[in-house]
Each structure stands twice: as C-alpha cells, then as structure tokens.
Amino acid sequence: MRIFDKLDCDFTKNVNLIFGENGKGKTTILEAIHMLSLSKSFRPGAKQNVIKQGKNSFSLASEITTSNNQKTKITYNIFKGQKRIKINDKQIERISDLVGVFPVVIMSPEDADIISGHPQARRNYINKLFSVIDKNYLYILQQYTKALRQKRETLFYNDEKQLEAWNHQMAIYGTKIWEKRNQYTLLLQKKFNSVWEELEPKTHAEIQFISSSTKSEEEFIGMLKKMSKKEKEVKRALFGPHTDKLKFIYKNKSLKDFGSHGEKKILLSALKLAEAKLIKEKTTITPVVLMDDLFAKLDKRRSIAILKMASKHNQVFITTTDSQAGKLIASESNKVTYFHLDKDLRCYEA
Ligand SMILES: Nc1ncnc2c1ncn2[C@@H]1O[C@H](COP(=O)(O)OP(=O)(O)OP(=O)(O)O)[C@@H](O)[C@H]1O
Ligand SMILES: [Mg+2]
C-alpha cells in the first residue's frame, strides 16, 4: 500500500503513538486501519492511489479484538480494481456488512472541510456517521439521492408526470431521513455538549442543525407544490434534506467565518470525541480513535487534554513528526506505547 511493500505491526489496546519523519508512511498506517473499518480511505483522491505505484494489487490483514471481546479477522484485497473484503475468512456481499463491525473515528487534517468547506461537506459528514450507527440510514439516503438526481434531470425538460413521481419518492425517503437526522443530530449535540463541557468549560460552543424538516409525506409534498413554480424557473430542487445545514458556533460567532486554525481543530476534535460516544452508544462497540498529526495547530495542553479524553475508553492511534511532543505525551501516561517508523520503513516499539 502506498509507500510500503510490507509492514507488520502489533499494536497495544491503549495509546499507540507513531513517530516518523515526513513521508515515512504514518498517515498510511491510519489509512489502512480506516480501510479495514469502512472499506475506503479518508484521503481525497482516486481510489487506486492507495496502491503502490507500479503495482496492481495490495492487501491488508488484521486480527482485531473489539471492546466486546470479540476476536475478528478482517482482510481487504484489491486486485486490478476488484475489491474483496473478508470477515473471519468469509467474503462479504455488501459493503454495509462491514460497517459497524470494527468502528473507527478519524481526526485528520483532511477533515478541516467539515468546518471550512461547502455545506455538502457537513452533510456528508453526518451521513457517513449516521450510516455507521444505523444500517437503514444508508439505504434510505441512497433512495433519496437517486430520486433527487432524477428530479434534477427532469427539471430540464417539462414532464409534469415524471416530476410528480420523483417528488413522491423524495417525500417518502426525505421524511424518513428527517426523522432519523433529527433524532441523531440531537444525540450528537448532547454528546458534543458533554465533551465540550469537560474540554473547554470556560468557552461557549455549539452545533446548530438548521433544517426545514416536515413531519409527514403529505406535508413534504405540500411544500414541494408550493415550491414548484420557483423550482421550474431556477431548475433546481429547492426543498428537502439535501438543503439541511450544520453550523458550528464558537464564542457566539460562526466558527467557519471567524475561528482560528487552532479553534477549528479543538472544536473538530470535540466533535470527533462526541462521534465516538455516539457510535459506542448505538453499536455497543467502542470505536478506535485515529488522530493524524494531533499536535499540528494545537497547543500542548489541549493536545494532552484531547488525548486523555480519547484514551479514557478507546484504543487510540496518534501520529506525529514531533519527537519532543511525542516523548512528552508518552511520559504523561503509562498507557502510551511509542512506535518509531524509521528511514527503512520499519515500525518498532522504541
Ligand atoms: N500510490 C503510491 N505509491 C508510492 N508512494 C506513495 C503512493 N501514495 C503516496 N505515496 C508516498 O508515500 C509516502 C508516505 O505518505 P504518508 O502520507 O503516509 O506519510 P506521513 O508519514 O504521514 O507524512 P507526513 O508527516 O508528511 O504527514 C509519501 O512519500 C508519499 O509520496
Ligand atoms: Mg501524514
């Protein structure tokens, strides 16, 4: 995978701190763990980029003991673009069979988009999370997205009957999405508030969920009827869960517009810790927390506070290029095992 020809690692159930210089493959290790959990990388770019250049395949093999003491073997193979995932030597038929078996929460520089990106990035974030905690959510979302896509196409040629049919589909699945989103965002907000209270009790922060959710299919269709003229004019679908918004407020201001890099990262870390709690509550399995480049942009006090919270209940993987910060963290607790990824790309306990 990527830079590695082969890598064997035996990690501890507590905190695994992976130190290595730039480009030595630290993020790739987290990426491998993430792929075993969710079948995909968390990094942007084409799917095949994870395969080492010049090769046409790679494989991952893992032996995992989840928090409910279940021993599970997950393997992942990709060969000529064909993906094969096995759980306990049995090939899975659908990716959704993998989701939730070995949950992980990732904190990485890539997810800055959750705060600073387009509203779609925030919707993608909650969609991914809610799919992990509720298998049915993904199905409903896929059906809704399909209807939405068809409706958008139909808006370009006036076919009243077709439009009505897609509106009807959107109402069926949109109502279901809203029912679940309202419930799960409320849970996420509660978890976030409790994490935040522990992490930064002196500062106010909150997550706002802004939605025009309706309670029934009839109400949904009624709203679509009201919007119909405008939608045809602008040729856009103006109503439904695809217009929901998530907003992060920090010190009574929009974090996206006013927050510093560090402030955004603190809030994002709190959000991810809240996510871990939500996954634990809903799947009963304690997720593994992956923290890529934890110390970047955060002061030491906050890095340690975040790490302490994460490691209270979860297995944690941290990467760093800062050996001083790494050693400081390692000396803070006997739960931390320090791994060195050296210039020959060997990973060993140091
Ligand atoms: N498909 C690929 N084939 C070969 N090498 C790759 C491929 N994809 C990425 N690389 C290389 O793998 C190396 C390891 O990348 P990775 O992001 O894991 O490093 P890192 O240790 O996290 O670095 P940093 O400290 O800068 O974040 C990089 O040098 C990158 O250019
Ligand atoms: Mg990296």
Side-chain angles (χ1 to χ4, degrees):
M1 181 174 175
R2 294 202 192 266
I3 198 170
F4 297 110
D5 279 319
K6 189 173 176 7
L7 184 75
D8 278 315
C9 286
D10 221 339
F11 293 112
T12 74
K13 64 174 185 178
N14 297 312
V15 180
N16 300 280
L17 194 149
I18 306 166
F19 162 78
E21 290 175 353
N22 291 133
K24 287 291 172 288
K26 301 177 296 300
T27 303
T28 307
I29 294 178
L30 302 193
E31 201 177 11
I33 299 171
H34 190 272
M35 289 184 86
L36 289 166
S37 171
L38 288 160
S39 88
K40 318 190 231 258
S41 167
F42 55 84
R43 289 208 239 195
K47 275 191 281 190
Q48 64 270 22
N49 289 0
V50 294
I51 303 175
K52 187 166 184 173
Q53 263 164 13
K55 308 248 169 164
N56 61 6
S57 68
F58 87 89
S59 54
L60 304 168
S62 64
E63 276 181 23
I64 297 156
T65 308
T66 44
S67 60
N68 52 359
N69 252 334
Q70 193 87 31
K71 284 204 182 350
T72 310
K73 279 203 283 185
I74 303 178
T75 60
Y76 180 109
N77 280 284
I78 193 158
F79 180 67
K80 289 189 177 167
Q82 198 70 8
K83 190 149 85 175
R84 277 209 188 93
I85 298 167
K86 288 184 185 168
I87 302 176
N88 294 328
D89 302 317
K90 197 165 175 279
Q91 189 169 329
I92 60 167
E93 282 168 23
R94 288 172 300 264
I95 296 298
S96 59
D97 294 338
L98 178 70
V99 176
V101 173
F102 163 56
V104 302
V105 169
I106 169 83
M107 301 183 189
S108 95
E110 266 85 18
D111 46 38
D113 253 18
I114 297 173
I115 287 173
S116 304
H118 197 265
Q120 186 62 43
R122 286 175 280 289
R123 285 190 291 271
N124 289 345
Y125 168 70
I126 54 169
N127 284 338
K128 204 170 114 191
L129 171 59
F130 298 166
S131 301
V132 170
I133 61 171
D134 179 344
K135 285 204 168 186
N136 202 231
Y137 185 88
L138 184 62
Y139 172 77
I140 295 167
L141 182 71
Q142 283 166 341
Q143 299 306 309
Y144 178 81
T145 311
K146 202 163 104 189
L148 175 64
R149 204 171 39 235
Q150 303 278 15
K151 173 178 170 170
R152 281 174 174 152
E153 273 181 31
T154 313
L155 279 168
F156 282 90
Y157 52 92
N158 286 331
D159 184 337
E160 208 51 54
K161 259 214 149 64
Q162 267 303 327
L163 207 54
E164 209 177 293
W166 296 127
N167 276 347
H168 186 65
Q169 290 290 303
M170 278 176 65
I172 295 174
Y173 294 107
T175 310
K176 290 193 168 105
I177 292 179
W178 267 333
E179 197 186 313
K180 287 179 187 286
R181 262 195 202 163
N182 284 331
Q183 188 191 340
Y184 298 145
T185 40
L186 190 64
L187 280 177
L188 185 65
Q189 284 163 325
K190 279 192 184 153
K191 306 277 179 218
F192 173 83
N193 293 345
S194 80
V195 170
W196 192 261
E197 184 57 34
E198 206 178 320
L199 212 54
E200 297 280 319
K202 292 196 187 112
T203 322
H204 174 79
E206 65 177 299
I207 308 173
Q208 290 176 351
F209 177 55
I210 302 152
S211 158
S212 42
S213 72
T214 47
K215 296 268 176 302
S216 66
E217 288 171 25
E218 293 72 37
E219 203 187 330
F220 197 118
I221 289 187
M223 286 305 293
L224 287 177
K225 281 199 175 125
K226 271 192 204 159
M227 297 276 185
S228 165
K229 194 163 168 265
K230 180 99 203 207
E231 284 188 332
K232 282 177 196 155
E233 251 169 56
V234 296
K235 306 220 178 301
R236 279 174 46 216
L238 299 173
F239 183 80
H242 63 284
T243 63
D244 285 352
K245 290 194 173 59
L246 209 60
K247 206 168 171 185
F248 301 102
I249 304 293
Y250 182 85
K251 289 186 177 167
N252 299 316
K253 291 199 284 286
S254 153
L255 182 71
K256 178 180 175 173
D257 301 320
F258 295 97
S260 73
H261 286 139
E263 287 166 347
K264 286 177 183 167
K265 182 147 179 186
I266 303 159
L267 195 132
L268 210 45
S269 307
L271 177 68
K272 297 302 176 107
L273 293 175
E275 179 185 328
K277 282 176 185 267
L278 183 61
I279 293 175
K280 160 80 180 148
E281 184 175 300
K282 287 286 168 189
T283 66
T284 73
I285 302 175
T286 312
V288 169
V289 178
L290 310 172
M291 304 202 258
D292 197 12
D293 246 333
L294 175 68
F295 311 113
K297 295 178 193 157
L298 281 185
D299 54 52
K300 298 276 182 302
R301 177 179 71 81
R302 290 198 168 89
S303 310
I304 290 171
I306 289 164
L307 174 63
K308 279 200 170 143
M309 271 190 92
S311 61
K312 222 187 269 175
H313 304 291
N314 309 62
Q315 184 185 29
V316 179
F317 290 81
I318 311 171
T319 67
T320 183
T321 50
D322 182 345
S323 67
Q324 289 307 321
K327 286 194 175 118
L328 176 74
I329 293 268
S331 67
E332 277 281 313
S333 151
N334 54 8
K335 276 181 156 184
V336 182
T337 308
Y338 190 87
F339 290 88
H340 189 186
L341 195 52
D342 73 7
K343 62 177 181 7
D344 301 319
L345 303 182
R346 288 173 309 159
C347 186
Y348 50 85
E349 248 183 83

